Structures are given as structure tokens and as C-alpha cells.
Amino acid sequence: MSVLDPTYDVIVVGGGHAGSEAAGAAAQMGAKTLLITMNLEAIAKMSCNPAMGGVAKGQLVREIDALGGLSGIVSDESGVQFRMLNMSKGPAMWSPRCQSDRMLYAQKMREKLEDKDHLFFRQDNVVDLISENDNEIKGVVTQTGQKFFAKSVILTTGTFGNGLIHIGESNYGGGRSGERASIGISAALEKLGFEVGRLKTGTPPRVDGRTVDYSQLEEQFGDENPTAFSFLTENLPSLEEQMSCWIGYTNEEVHEVLKEGFDRSPMFNGRIKSIGPRYCPSIEDKINRFADKDRHQLFLEPEGWNTYEMYLNGFSTSLPEDVQYKALRTIPGFEDVIMIRPGYAIEYDYFPPHQIRRSLETKSVKGLFFAGQINGTTGYEEAACQGLMAGINAALHVQEKEPLVLQRSEAYIGVLIDDLINKGTEEPYRMFTSRAEHRILLRQDNADLRLTEIGNRIGLASDERMQRVEKKKEAINKLDDLIKDYTVYPEKMDPMLESKESSTMSQPMKAERILLRPEVSLRDMMDYDEDFAQQVKDISDNKEVLEQIEIQIKYAGYIEKEFEMVKEMEKQENMSIPEQVEYSSIKSLSTEGAQKLSKIRPETIGQASRISGVSASDLSVLMVYLKN
């Protein structure tokens, strides 16, 4: 079809996690979309850890799902273990994580994409871009000489852009193990005036699980009552149906073996010049930087239901293969282990993200969007949420509608994109809960309440999703009224309160006052008051609804304060800055402030306030200038 009909609304280059979400979103919104990838068998391939979610990353996946994206429901359909992390902390920190079946995840994602009416596929390698006057995208050129035209093009090149794989003193071109690098796009972008940089990431060796002595490891189980990623998923595997992960540790002997290879390590001999992820360092980097530690924790994780291949999380390395193997066999429990694939590091091109807008459209080329590791991020979840937003905005661009921009107070996705553009990154960016100043509002449990209406309005989230959200809101409101009006009595509550070592009641009081106690849960109260329990169940016995009302009541004061702060900040967020402002001509701006503002060209005063090097006095000067 592509030769006879080479014109599309949206072209997505790259079929990883960013590309999959981008193509799925654009097609779902009615845009005729072409996904071009070098290997159709590797769509949404989990090239590193076979897992989705984790601290803050789980919030991103739930937000993707709430908007109508695919990663959440695919994770639920391919998960082998489900856990909610940080449950000992407050609900703003709770983060879902799913250990995935690597092959099944890719299969399910492809099935979902092939189910999209407006989505078409092409196995090919894009080597050049077609533009008009270098400032408006028109299409792409592949290595076979085919030209494909579109009003929007999304680049999601991942680690494939001039990718270079390192194992000890060996290095070779590649986008990931067993797959060639993509050559040509970086040169095409540099020709258009884009600034390019290099980053590094890595992966650990994979081992034969049959050759591990599990008696020396600590077994890690999934949750007994697991939480799904997708708000549409109703059933997940029980604890007995889930697979286990395993915890082990390095020791001083392992460290000494690893040090034997430092002189041949590309990390230390100068072969690797780019910067890797600070919060996911290689094992050689760990023992070099934290020389005082005599051991490091490792997680042995299954790759899927029907394989004995295991992923050794925490042992990322680019040391020579013989050193990797020798070090592995000195880890307790791994004395007879067989290595299936060695670990490696990979360097790749990225394009510093001050060159994109908050819509992920590039500033200098209209209709050209960047998403994923091309913007300097690391992780499937960070890539997927950018792909979703790029797909949405590429479709809106085709429809000649205003782009969708999520604010920092609306979503972790908004925090990620705002951070990238305003703060930039010289190392792979990873999402953390600490990056979100409004995290009490941006919890994983309320992503649907925050975002599904937005997704439905733009044609991405289905009407079924919207109806579920409306039903959930209605149940929450009814429960709120019930809990505030219902009276509980000492004879029913005191036994429960005593068991919780909480003060007993001296008189009847409203249920809300008891629920406000941190040690008391809604389920506790229901267990000791049958009439109350029945009235709650008559409204809803949905786990998510009950969790939501409990959080809203217990944290009402914090939530209200956060909303007030957001309202105050919105004044700055809504004060737009014309694109043509010449900052160098504003005399009272500091030199650094003018330079940073000229480089990033913020769209609002709020965005300008978060740029490193722009002072409070610079903001005051800028606001006066805009008013005049």
C-alpha cells in the first residue's frame, strides 16, 4: 500500500514504547497513521528489565491508562507478578509495579495496535526527513528509497540513533543486542539545525534460571490482592497464580573479581565518554563510587511464564564477558550459573529537550515531534507517556486544534515534560515522586478522576471509560455524605479501637471522626458495625472506590491546602509570553536570565519561573515588560 498511497496524517518512526503509544493514540483519534520500524517483531520490546511501573513510574502508567493509552492494560494482560510499593508510606508515595512476561507484553501490544482501524505498518529504516524551507515537516525517506508524506512526524528513535554497544574492549554498532543501529536521522536533524548530544545506558547479563541455587536467595512474592494498572481491568492473578522474584547480594569477593576487569572496562578506560543514568548505575560504577559498601542488593526476576531466562536486576555492566561470568559465579546462589547473554552498555544520540515545546513539537520545525529517549529520558514508562502525548498532539496538529498540554499540577506527565524543557538534562532523566511538588494530588489511585475526562474529550479515552469514572465519582460523593452523617456508637467501635491501641469513645460520634484516626481504616469500621457495612456496600463495594473515599477524608486538610497552592500558581501558568519576545533587548534582565530565556523560549511566566538561572528579579522585569 505504501508505494501506491504514500500519504498519511501522522508518521511514527520507531516501534518501542514511545512509538507504540504514539501510533495507538494518533490512530485512535482518527488520524491515518503509519508506524515505521526496523523490525515489526520487536514492537514494544522490553530490551532491559521485563517490568512496568515502580516508584513514580507506576503513576505514569496509570496516567497513560486514564487518558486512554495502552501500556496499562497491556501490562495487566502480560504480568507475572503485581506489587504495590511504598505501602508503609502515605498514599502519595504508593506506586504499582508489574513484573512482565517479556514476549507476551510485545505480543499483546502489537495485537492492540493491529486492532486500530486507522493504523498501518511498514518495516523499514528511516534515513532522512523531508521538510519545506527547513521549518515544516513534510515526510520521511527510508533506506529503500521510499518517500512517505505526512502533516505530522513523530521521532521515537530510542537507543538506535547511531547506537554503539560496548562489552569490555569490544564495541560495535547496534540499537540493542542483536539489532542494528539507525543511521541517518541524526545527520538529517543536524542539517536542520538541531543540537545533538550523547547519552549512555546499560543492561545486566541474563542467566539460566535452572542453574541458580534458590535456597541461598530470599523469595519475593506478589501482592495477595493485587492492584491493576488499567482502570478497565477487573481481575488479576491471585497470589498463587503469580511468579516469584528473588533477592540476593554481592559480597567482597564479587567486588574483587569485578575490579580485575576495570582496566578493560569502557567505563574507566575512556571508550565511553557519555553520561549514564545516575539512579541506575552499573555494578562497576557502584563498587567504585561506594567503596565502603561490602555488598549490593540484586533482584533475580523472571522473563516470562514459559522461559527459564532470568534478568539480574542491579548487575548492569559493560565489563569484559569473562569478568562478568567469573563475577556472577562468586555470587551466593550463582556458583554454577550459566550466562545466556552478557551485559552491555550502549551509547546513543539524543537531542537536548530545550528544542521542543510542551506539546513535544519541535520549536524550529512545524509538525515534527520528539518522544522518548531522543529527549534524554530513560525507562519504558517515561518513553511511553511522551509517546502518548506526542501522538495526541500530532493528531491535534493535523486537525488544526490547540495542543494538549498537561500542567505540573495535573499529572506526573506534565512534571516530566516541564522538567525536560525547563531544566534540560545532561544525564538520562528518570521520574521520581520527589520531582512532583503536588504529589498529594497526583496519586496513582486518582489518575482516572484527573485525566479520563480530558482523554474522552479529545477522542482517545472511550465512552465506556468515561461512564466508569462518572459512576465512580457518584459513588464517592454518596459515601462521603454517608460517612459524614452516620453515627457510630462506643459499644460497636470500642473493641476495634482497643485492638488498634486507639482511644476508646466516650460518646456516640460521626463515623468521619473515627476514620480520621490514622490507625483506623474504613474496612475496620465495617467489620465492627454491620449496619454501617451494609450501607457502604449498598453504595459500592469496589476496592478502588473505598480506597479513594478513605484517602480523601484522611488527607482532606493536605489536599485542600494543595489545591489553594495550585490556584495561586495558575495565575502565573496562564500568563502567556509571546514567541517573538527579544530577551536580549530587555535592558534590566540579567545576562544569564536573558540567555536562558532566549534558549528555552518559555510559553508562560510559570514556565519561565522554573528555568535554572532565571531569578525572581528577572521574572519581575519580564512581567513589567509584558504588561507594557
Side-chain angles (χ1 to χ4, degrees), residues 235-426:
N235 295 303
L236 285 177
S238 66
L239 178 61
E240 294 74 23
E241 296 172 309
Q242 297 178 49
M243 297 183 76
S244 291
C245 296
W246 305 82
I247 299 174
Y249 295 91
T250 63
N251 54 34
E252 292 182 347
E253 184 183 359
V254 178
H255 298 179
E256 289 305 313
V257 173
L258 289 167
K259 287 176 185 177
E260 292 175 11
F262 276 14
D263 62 331
R264 293 186 286 151
S265 166
M267 283 278 298
F268 300 124
N269 64 18
R271 281 181 175 271
I272 293 178
K273 296 181 172 60
S274 50
I275 301 173
R278 178 194 304 256
Y279 302 103
C280 189
S282 65
I283 188 64
E284 57 264 37
D285 197 21
K286 280 190 226 178
I287 63 174
N288 184 54
R289 284 167 52 193
F290 307 108
D292 57 317
K293 290 197 171 185
D294 56 12
R295 70 174 191 171
H296 292 284
Q297 194 173 51
L298 304 173
F299 295 89
L300 185 63
E301 301 169 339
E303 296 257 329
W305 295 109
N306 301 310
T307 178
Y308 50 73
E309 188 172 357
M310 305 284 279
Y311 179 95
L312 189 56
N313 198 341
F315 205 82
S316 174
T317 181
S318 58
L319 285 167
E321 190 169 346
D322 60 310
V323 177
Q324 292 187 37
Y325 197 40
K326 184 178 178 183
L328 277 175
R329 287 196 157 205
T330 52
I331 299 170
F334 290 75
E335 290 85 356
D336 298 313
V337 79
I338 291 176
M339 184 167 68
I340 296 176
R341 305 187 225 178
Y344 62 88
I346 180 168
E347 291 185 284
Y348 56 93
D349 288 347
Y350 87 109
F351 291 80
H354 66 266
Q355 300 171 102
I356 56 174
R357 304 180 192 278
R358 292 183 299 166
S359 63
L360 300 184
E361 183 181 23
T362 62
K363 292 175 180 177
S364 59
V365 181
K366 186 178 179 182
L368 179 62
F369 295 79
F370 291 170
Q373 285 172 289
I374 192 172
N375 288 331
T377 58
T378 182
Y380 309 140
E381 304 84 358
E382 289 87 346
C385 74
Q386 290 175 73
L388 182 75
M389 296 308 296
I392 288 170
N393 285 319
L396 292 173
H397 176 76
V398 170
Q399 297 165 6
E400 298 182 352
K401 294 179 180 178
E402 287 295 310
L404 174 63
V405 174
L406 296 176
Q407 304 297 336
R408 296 181 71 91
S409 58
E410 290 181 299
Y412 270 82
I413 296 172
V415 174
L416 183 150
I417 294 172
D418 190 75
D419 277 356
L420 286 176
I421 295 168
N422 296 324
K423 299 176 182 177
T425 184
E426 294 179 353

Side-chain angles (χ1 to χ4, degrees), residues 343-559:
Y344 62 88
I346 180 168
E347 291 185 284
Y348 56 93
D349 288 347
Y350 87 109
F351 291 80
H354 66 266
Q355 300 171 102
I356 56 174
R357 304 180 192 278
R358 292 183 299 166
S359 63
L360 300 184
E361 183 181 23
T362 62
K363 292 175 180 177
S364 59
V365 181
K366 186 178 179 182
L368 179 62
F369 295 79
F370 291 170
Q373 285 172 289
I374 192 172
N375 288 331
T377 58
T378 182
Y380 309 140
E381 304 84 358
E382 289 87 346
C385 74
Q386 290 175 73
L388 182 75
M389 296 308 296
I392 288 170
N393 285 319
L396 292 173
H397 176 76
V398 170
Q399 297 165 6
E400 298 182 352
K401 294 179 180 178
E402 287 295 310
L404 174 63
V405 174
L406 296 176
Q407 304 297 336
R408 296 181 71 91
S409 58
E410 290 181 299
Y412 270 82
I413 296 172
V415 174
L416 183 150
I417 294 172
D418 190 75
D419 277 356
L420 286 176
I421 295 168
N422 296 324
K423 299 176 182 177
T425 184
E426 294 179 353
E427 62 186 47
Y429 176 100
R430 178 180 177 178
M431 178 52 71
F432 290 102
T433 51
S434 59
R435 297 191 191 274
E437 61 272 36
H438 303 298
R439 56 187 171 274
I440 189 66
L441 302 181
L442 308 182
R443 307 183 309 275
Q444 56 83 27
D445 59 88
N446 69 357
D448 56 338
L449 302 178
R450 291 184 278 119
L451 299 173
T452 297
E453 187 176 351
I454 295 172
N456 182 253
R457 188 175 68 241
I458 61 174
L460 184 57
S462 66
D463 290 339
E464 179 195 356
R465 279 185 180 276
M466 196 62 234
Q467 288 163 9
R468 285 187 178 223
V469 171
E470 288 169 349
K471 185 178 179 182
K472 183 176 178 179
K473 285 181 179 177
E474 183 182 355
I476 290 168
N477 290 335
K478 286 182 177 179
L479 281 173
D480 189 52
D481 291 339
L482 171 66
I483 293 168
K484 287 176 178 175
D485 290 342
Y486 188 88
T487 301
V488 292
Y489 295 88
E491 55 266 30
K492 290 188 177 180
M493 289 294 114
D494 278 354
M496 179 270 292
L497 294 173
E498 288 174 356
S499 72
K500 299 285 182 182
E501 298 183 351
S502 186
S503 316
T504 55
M505 296 166 58
S506 58
Q507 60 185 17
M509 60 181 63
K510 298 300 181 185
E512 180 185 29
R513 289 185 59 187
I514 299 299
L515 187 57
L516 282 170
R517 300 186 186 189
E519 65 274 14
V520 175
S521 72
L522 184 57
R523 289 287 184 186
D524 292 333
M525 297 176 69
M526 292 168 67
D527 288 343
Y528 283 81
D529 188 328
E530 291 182 6
D531 181 53
F532 178 62
Q534 189 57 55
Q535 290 191 47
V536 169
K537 290 175 182 177
D538 286 345
I539 296 172
S540 178
D541 197 25
N542 181 289
K543 174 188 168 186
E544 288 191 354
V545 172
L546 300 188
E547 180 182 80
Q548 188 64 218
I549 188 61
E550 184 169 341
I551 290 170
Q552 287 189 12
I553 287 175
K554 284 184 179 294
Y555 295 88
Y558 298 104
I559 291 170

Side-chain angles (χ1 to χ4, degrees), residues 141-285:
V141 182
T142 72
Q143 66 180 1
T144 61
Q146 291 297 316
K147 293 181 179 180
F148 297 93
F149 299 93
K151 297 174 185 175
S152 295
V153 171
I154 306 171
L155 298 183
T156 68
T157 50
T159 59
F160 282 76
N162 289 328
L164 184 64
I165 290 174
H166 296 268
I167 304 176
E169 295 172 297
S170 302
N171 62 66
Y172 56 92
R176 57 185 164 221
S177 181
E179 297 180 58
R180 70 185 189 280
S182 174
I183 309 296
I185 290 181
S186 291
L189 289 171
E190 285 190 88
K191 187 179 173 184
L192 289 171
F194 285 93
E195 176 189 339
V196 64
R198 295 283 278 178
L199 290 176
K200 176 192 83 75
T201 189
T203 193
R206 272 57 159 191
V207 301
D208 185 332
R210 299 171 302 177
T211 61
V212 175
D213 178 5
Y214 295 97
S215 67
Q216 298 189 61
L217 305 178
E218 176 188 334
E219 190 167 7
Q220 187 179 50
F221 301 99
D223 288 344
E224 189 171 351
N225 297 300
T227 298
F229 271 117
S230 177
F231 292 95
L232 296 182
T233 300
E234 295 184 349
N235 295 303
L236 285 177
S238 66
L239 178 61
E240 294 74 23
E241 296 172 309
Q242 297 178 49
M243 297 183 76
S244 291
C245 296
W246 305 82
I247 299 174
Y249 295 91
T250 63
N251 54 34
E252 292 182 347
E253 184 183 359
V254 178
H255 298 179
E256 289 305 313
V257 173
L258 289 167
K259 287 176 185 177
E260 292 175 11
F262 276 14
D263 62 331
R264 293 186 286 151
S265 166
M267 283 278 298
F268 300 124
N269 64 18
R271 281 181 175 271
I272 293 178
K273 296 181 172 60
S274 50
I275 301 173
R278 178 194 304 256
Y279 302 103
C280 189
S282 65
I283 188 64
E284 57 264 37
D285 197 21

